[in-house]
């Protein structure tokens, strides 16, 4: 049983995030709770991870780098060039040390919410997907199909998101964290092995 008080956590985060990010955070939180309900997951863990997933998003880039350096959190080449990516690593650190979250699955869900990773836990998938489909999101292609799929099959929803994410990142022409591609390859093979069909 996790003792974290959800409404207290929400009030804390309201102070730490700008309004837009806080609205997004609430969207991710209740979307994650709904996905957990749908897939027989733990709604409390989903809400805590949802509330905290972007807890480091509004910290200045310089400060994010300083936090990493101070606490020996590794910064890869791509993160060095795009420090906003560090909000996942810094966020998981803050969740553990400031918000005293000692549930590994929640910490990992925060840590992996930007790139995903092969073989994610159900909670990690839920946060990754909720981040993409929460009601405040309007830009992504195939959003309607992905939203429906998320409430049927998390792995399929994940694969469509990763596919679209790679197309989008490619179109920007910048660096792509290799983990995003690794995650995509993993779920593509997983899907083939399971003979799952897409109905988009
Ligand atoms: Fe984020
Ligand atoms: Fe987010």
């Amino acid at each position: 049983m996790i003792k974290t008080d959800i409404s207290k956590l929400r009030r804390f985060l309201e102070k730490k995030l700008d309004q837009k990010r806080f609205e997004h955070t609430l969207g991710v939180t209740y979307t994650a709770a709904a996905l957990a309900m749908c897939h027989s997951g733990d709604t409390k863990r989903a809400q805590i991870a949802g509330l905290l997933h972007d807890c480091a998003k509004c910290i200045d880039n310089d400060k994010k780098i300083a936090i990493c350096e101070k606490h020996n959190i590794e910064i890869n080449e791509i993160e060095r060039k795009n420090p906003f990516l560090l909000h996942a690593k810094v966020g998981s650190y803050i969740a553990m040390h400031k918000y005293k979250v000692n549930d590994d699955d929640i910490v990992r869900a925060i840590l992996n919410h930007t790139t995903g990773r092969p073989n994610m836990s159900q909670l990690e998938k839920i946060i990754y997907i909720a981040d993409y489909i929460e009601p405040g999101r309007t830009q992504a292609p195939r959003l309607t199909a992905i939203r429906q799929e998320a409430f049927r099959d998390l792995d399929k929803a994940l694969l469509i998101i990763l596919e679209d994410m790679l197309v989008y990142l490619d179109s920007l022409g910048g660096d792509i964290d290799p983990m995003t591609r690794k995650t995509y390859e993993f779920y593509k093979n997983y899907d083939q092995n399971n003979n799952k069909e897409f109905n988009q």
Side-chain angles (χ1 to χ4, degrees), residues 16-54:
K16 294 287 171 197
L17 300 171
D18 62 40
Q19 206 199 335
K20 197 173 143 232
R21 189 55 44 184
F22 183 63
E23 289 300 325
H24 162 70
T25 293
L26 294 182
V28 171
T29 304
Y30 51 70
T31 302
L35 286 171
M37 284 177 202
C38 175
H39 297 288
S40 313
D42 182 328
T43 53
K44 187 154 190 194
R45 278 195 174 80
Q47 288 179 86
I48 296 168
L51 280 171
L52 286 169
H53 85 285
D54 272 345

Side-chain angles (χ1 to χ4, degrees), residues 79-91:
E79 289 163 340
R80 183 74 64 182
K81 273 197 256 168
N82 309 278
F84 70 92
L85 291 171
L86 286 170
H87 77 275
K89 281 183 181 173
V90 174

Side-chain angles (χ1 to χ4, degrees), residues 115 128 132 140-142 145-146 155-171 176 179-189 191-192 196-200:
T115 60
Y128 186 90
Y132 196 85
R142 300 201 276 181
I146 296 168
D155 294 314
K156 267 194 214 170
L158 203 54
L159 181 56
I160 312 174
I161 293 171
L162 286 159
E163 210 171 75
D164 289 354
M165 185 78 92
L166 285 172
V167 170
Y168 171 71
L169 291 173
D170 267 337
S171 77
I176 299 177
M179 188 53 84
T180 303
R181 216 176 283 282
K182 258 194 193 164
T183 309
Y184 169 69
E185 294 299 333
F186 178 89
Y187 284 97
K188 197 174 81 181
N189 294 334
D191 191 65
Q192 277 160 359
K196 290 180 178 175
E197 284 170 36
F198 275 129
N199 32 18
Q200 297 162 33

Side-chain angles (χ1 to χ4, degrees), residues 21 24 53-55 57 84 87-88 110 113-114 131 137:
R21 189 55 44 184
H24 162 70
H53 85 285
D54 272 345
C55 69
K57 190 82 177 194
F84 70 92
H87 77 275
I110 300 166
H113 86 268
T114 53
D131 195 23
R137 299 283 202 201

Side-chain angles (χ1 to χ4, degrees), residues 2-12 44 48 51:
I2 301 174
K3 277 196 247 114
T4 309
D5 180 333
I6 302 271
S7 52
K8 211 164 142 188
L9 190 55
R10 194 178 54 223
R11 286 195 297 276
F12 260 126
K44 187 154 190 194
I48 296 168
L51 280 171

